[in-house]
């Protein structure tokens, strides 16, 4: 594999970031527009001779050094969303403001049954670069276990790794959450002018909110019930005290998914427990697991005694796949997942799935692209075509949550303080 620079955009972006300039600052120094700098960095256009001379002069380089034949690519520091693996591990590399984040491309949770294109290769190993996190203002406190056991997550801290880019960096929206419909956004985002790429990290809702709070993703997808019975605003306020926007995406029913032959013989979780049926469970921090625990507690059933309660899979479709494969008899998942696999379904709750955006990223190019994509007729038609999905709230502005001190007691966890909502913005559509 070649170590040569694959385009002038990468060289310009790395030279700019090495000097600590934003695109706007470099544009002002060179006397060109910020859009011109962005177009060159994203590979959408090659600079004219005048623009090339101006940019090179502003960076203290010659045109040949900046835009000439490429030399070896210098690694860039990237905050690892989860452990990346060993030397030359393939990773996704996404700009996050003037920094980078890196996502691993190994293991079933991120493969989506196919190889995904890589943006870079990791340098060294996870343990060998622990010191790098401190050098870049982040501390590595040890990864928390990812639901599938294949990855950890940087929920409690981040590790900075060196990554060698193999393609030019491009505007990329990084999303985390468990809704398997989130990747549908890739198409309308790619049709924008200029286009925005998409990277999706599948994980439970609580983990997604923590990643957003840590500045590792632009958007967290969540369907968490607060103490008042409402969805997402309470958990978002608790886990993102810096403030955020909450935008609607879809709603569905969540419930008990069963092997088809059990339909008519099992009326609920009480029957699952009495018959000794084997469960497939979700990760801690997922709403599906919370639904299971609430239902079992209401029935007075000791969850630890149920066969399969200690298992963990990473999403709704994985629950349905495990049941279809005969690895389990029942589990908690969304109705769309059950319908996709032809399984029996008993509803337990109607849930709203929202997109939570940190206030500091709401004005970013990537998030503004998302807002435009959410109104895409193509996306709305795709969501409507999925059995069990209700896309009526897609793109609607649910709430603006202002910055607030983080409450420390567990008793305040996921508290719904409706006084914190913006009464004018609630229900209105967020506009660019």
């Amino acid at each position: 594999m070649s170590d040569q620079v694959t385009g002038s955009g990468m060289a310009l972006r790395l030279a700019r970031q090495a000097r600590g300039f934003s695109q706007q600052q470099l544009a002002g120094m060179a006397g060109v527009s910020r859009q011109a700098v962005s177009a060159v960095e994203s590979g959408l256009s090659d600079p004219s001779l005048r623009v090339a001379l101006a940019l090179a002069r502003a960076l203290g380089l010659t045109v040949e050094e900046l835009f000439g034949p490429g030399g070896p690519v210098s690694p860039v520091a990237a905050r690892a969303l989860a452990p990346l693996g060993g030397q030359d591990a393939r990773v996704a590399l996404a700009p996050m403001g003037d920094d980078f984040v890196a996502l691993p491309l190994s293991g079933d949770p991120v493969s989506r049954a196919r190889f995904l294109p890589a943006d870079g290769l990791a340098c060294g190993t996870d343990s060998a670069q622990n010191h790098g996190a401190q050098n870049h203002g982040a501390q590595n406190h040890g990864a928390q276990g990812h639901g599938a056991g294949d990855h950890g997550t940087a929920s409690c801290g981040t590790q900075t790794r060196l990554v060698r880019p193999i393609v030019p960096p491009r505007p990329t929206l990084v999303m985390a959450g468990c809704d398997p419909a989130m990747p549908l956004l890739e198409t309308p985002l790619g049709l924008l002018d200029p286009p925005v790429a998409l990277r999706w990290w599948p994980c439970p809702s609580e983990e997604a909110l923590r990643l957003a709070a840590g500045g590792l993703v632009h958007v967290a997808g969540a369907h968490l019930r607060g103490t008042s019975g409402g969805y997402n605003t309470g958990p978002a306020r608790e886990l993102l005290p810096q403030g955020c926007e909450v935008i609607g995406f879809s709603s569905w029913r969540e419930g008990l998914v069963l092997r088809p032959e059990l339909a008519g013989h099992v009326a609920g979780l009480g029957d699952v427990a009495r018959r000794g049926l084997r469960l497939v469970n979700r990760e801690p921090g997922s709403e599906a697991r919370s639904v299971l625990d609430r239902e079992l507690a209401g029935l007075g059933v000791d969850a630890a005694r149920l066969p399969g309660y200690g298992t963990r899979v990473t999403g709704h479709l994985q629950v349905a796949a495990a049941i279809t494969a005969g690895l389990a008899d029942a589990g908690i998942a969304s109705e769309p997942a059950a319908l996709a696999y032809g399984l029996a379904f008993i509803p337990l709750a109607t849930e709203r799935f929202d997109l939570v955006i940190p206030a500091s990223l709401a004005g970013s190019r990537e998030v503004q692209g998302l807002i435009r994509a959410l109104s895409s007729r193509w996306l709305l038609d795709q969501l409507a075509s999925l059995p069990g999905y209700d896309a009526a709230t897609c793109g609607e502005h649910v709430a603006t949550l202002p910055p607030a001190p983080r409450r420390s007691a567990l008793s305040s966890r996921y508290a719904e303080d409706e006084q914190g909502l913006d009464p004018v913005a609630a229900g209105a559509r967020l506009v660019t």
Side-chain angles (χ1 to χ4, degrees):
M1 184 176 292
S2 172
D3 284 344
Q4 302 302 305
V5 174
T6 58
S8 59
M10 181 187 295
L12 176 60
R13 184 182 184 98
L14 296 180
R16 173 180 64 79
Q17 290 186 327
R19 289 158 178 77
F21 298 145
S22 67
Q23 288 184 342
Q24 188 64 56
Q25 288 172 323
L26 176 58
M29 294 165 59
V32 301
S33 69
R34 187 198 64 78
Q35 289 78 8
V37 175
S38 176
V40 174
E41 288 191 355
S42 62
L44 295 175
S45 69
D46 292 324
S48 66
L49 179 59
R50 182 190 69 81
V51 171
L53 284 168
L55 292 172
R57 187 179 302 112
L59 293 169
L61 300 170
T62 67
V63 173
E64 290 74 19
E65 289 172 330
L66 187 57
F67 297 111
V73 178
S74 299
V76 298
R79 299 176 65 202
L81 187 146
L84 302 181
Q87 177 71 29
D88 289 336
R90 300 173 75 248
V91 304
L93 190 65
M96 188 71 65
D98 279 332
D99 297 320
F100 288 97
V101 295
L103 295 75
L105 289 178
S106 59
D108 181 67
V110 293
S111 69
R112 285 186 271 165
R114 61 187 175 94
F115 291 119
L116 297 176
D119 302 309
L121 302 176
C123 301
T125 63
D126 290 309
S127 59
Q129 293 186 32
N130 285 349
H131 65 281
Q134 296 179 0
N135 293 340
H136 291 85
Q139 294 182 344
N140 179 43
H141 299 290
Q144 304 301 303
H146 191 274
D150 294 319
H151 298 291
T153 178
S155 295
C156 297
T158 58
Q159 183 186 60
T160 296
R161 288 286 303 274
L162 294 178
V163 174
R164 178 166 56 84
I166 60 174
V167 295
R170 53 183 177 160
T172 301
L173 180 74
V174 184
M175 306 181 74
C178 67
D179 184 358
M182 294 174 79
L184 290 174
L185 284 159
E186 185 172 12
T187 294
L189 285 170
L191 294 175
L192 296 175
D193 184 18
V196 174
L198 175 68
R199 290 292 185 176
W200 172 50
W201 179 252
C203 66
S205 297
E206 186 173 311
E207 179 183 326
L209 290 174
R210 293 188 187 280
L211 291 172
L216 290 165
V217 299
H218 295 96
V219 182
H223 60 115
L224 290 173
R225 193 175 80 167
T227 55
S228 73
Y231 280 86
N232 301 324
T233 52
R237 181 183 293 104
E238 181 74 16
L239 297 176
L240 281 86
Q242 65 267 48
C244 60
E245 301 286 345
V246 184
I247 310 297
F249 187 68
S250 64
S251 61
W252 60 58
R253 295 192 298 179
E254 187 145 56
L256 182 62
V257 180
L258 300 161
R259 290 189 288 112
E261 59 268 29
L262 293 174
H265 301 286
V266 173
L269 281 165
D271 289 341
V272 171
R274 281 188 292 272
R275 294 167 64 106
L277 299 179
R278 181 171 178 80
L279 286 170
V280 57
N281 206 352
R282 288 285 308 280
E283 325 93 314
S286 66
E287 183 61 18
R289 191 182 183 101
S290 296
V291 168
L292 176 62
D293 290 344
R294 286 196 299 265
E295 292 292 323
L296 292 176
L299 294 169
V301 174
D302 182 1
R305 298 177 65 88
L306 293 179
Y309 179 82
T311 58
R312 298 183 185 183
V313 297
T314 59
H316 299 277
L317 292 178
Q318 286 76 8
V319 170
I323 296 172
T324 300
L327 301 176
D329 302 306
I332 302 296
S334 67
E335 185 176 19
L339 293 172
Y341 279 81
L343 300 174
F345 180 78
I346 300 173
L348 297 173
T350 298
E351 300 178 343
R352 195 182 73 226
F353 187 88
D354 294 327
L355 305 178
V356 180
I357 303 166
S360 61
L361 297 175
S364 68
R365 172 178 172 179
E366 294 82 2
V367 169
Q368 290 300 301
L370 167 67
I371 301 305
R372 292 169 60 191
L374 289 173
S375 64
S376 159
R377 185 72 258 170
W378 183 92
L379 176 66
L380 296 175
D381 288 343
Q382 289 293 320
L383 289 174
S385 74
L386 291 169
Y389 272 87
D390 181 353
T393 62
C394 185
E396 288 188 358
H397 187 253
V398 175
T400 293
L401 304 181
R406 186 180 180 89
R407 286 172 285 187
S408 59
L410 286 177
S411 60
S412 69
R413 184 176 182 80
Y414 297 174
E416 298 279 350
D417 179 8
E418 300 302 334
Q419 293 180 356
L421 303 184
D422 181 340
V424 176
R429 183 174 295 274
L430 185 66
V431 297
T432 58

